[in-house]
Amino acid sequence: PELNANVRAMSDGDAWAGQLEWPADTNAIGVGLCNAGNSCFVNSVLQCLTHCPPLALGCLQPNHEREPGLPGGLGSARVMAMLCDHIRSALTTDAQAFTPSLASQMHEVSTQLTPGQQEDSHEFLRFLFDAASRQTAAERKAAGGKRPFIESLFFGQMQSTVVCHACGNASVRTDDFLDLSLEIDAELGADGGRGGGNA
């Protein structure tokens, strides 16, 4: 009940992004995940998302309260339901390890993914975000223009400015993103110093 009250109180605006307290009555560390055959790229992404407090808080809601309580609704209900069920199982079960359903049902995320075939973790994350935030026209209307839940947590805008040296005119452009690629200096060591480390 206390958890649900917190969700209702934060369901408007960007308050979700600031919710960094770990949900009450859950395991501090989720259970391990079994490799279903070249599924380590799926497991690594799911483990990271499971331990994202705002996402975990929303996904731990009872099914009948989850969609109306989340800003923008669920987006793609099927994919979000699978992700929420996974997070709920990982954080509340007493099992030592289990195989995530998303590892065997990758086609729900993208038809470009094939179970049993090794893929890139970052690529899977982008496919997952895209699938989880996809909305039909009816869903967008029902959400009242609010972004789907996954976008309300991870969406951002990057602004780039180009200034003309001749006239001083500035051209400003903004691009939406759900993730950012960062360059890592190959010479930067694991301890933050230079030399000897692998990026």
Side-chain angles (χ1 to χ4, degrees), residues 18-160:
Q19 177 60 29
L20 299 179
E21 294 183 7
W22 193 243
D25 301 324
T26 60
N27 300 326
I29 300 177
V31 300
L33 303 179
C34 299
N35 192 323
N38 288 329
S39 65
C40 54
F41 69 97
V42 175
N43 293 355
S44 62
V45 169
L46 292 179
Q47 286 173 328
C48 288
L49 293 179
T50 296
H51 294 89
C52 178
L55 180 58
L57 185 65
C59 288
L60 286 169
Q61 302 314 296
N63 293 339
H64 67 281
E65 296 183 9
R66 189 184 297 159
E67 183 164 1
L70 300 183
L74 288 176
S76 174
R78 170 67 176 165
V79 174
M80 273 304 300
M82 294 175 68
L83 179 59
C84 287
D85 288 344
H86 170 83
I87 291 176
R88 178 185 293 275
S89 296
L91 295 178
T92 61
T93 184
D94 293 328
Q96 292 185 343
F98 67 95
T99 301
S101 60
L102 280 166
S104 59
Q105 301 183 54
M106 296 181 200
H107 61 278
E108 295 286 354
V109 176
S110 173
T111 56
Q112 298 184 46
L113 299 172
T114 304
Q117 180 174 317
Q118 183 65 46
E119 304 283 357
D120 180 74
S121 294
H122 181 225
E123 187 175 36
F124 175 74
L125 176 66
R126 299 191 69 165
F127 279 138
L128 182 61
F129 277 176
D130 179 65
S133 60
R134 197 176 299 129
Q135 288 179 314
T136 65
E139 288 171 334
R140 284 194 296 271
K141 183 177 180 180
K146 293 182 180 179
R147 294 185 180 278
F149 178 48
I150 204 78
E151 283 193 10
S152 71
L153 297 181
F154 296 99
F155 173 83
Q157 287 188 319
M158 181 167 55
Q159 178 176 298
S160 58

Side-chain angles (χ1 to χ4, degrees), residues 161-172:
T161 304
V162 178
V163 180
C164 176
H165 292 294
C167 66
N169 183 58
S171 174
V172 180

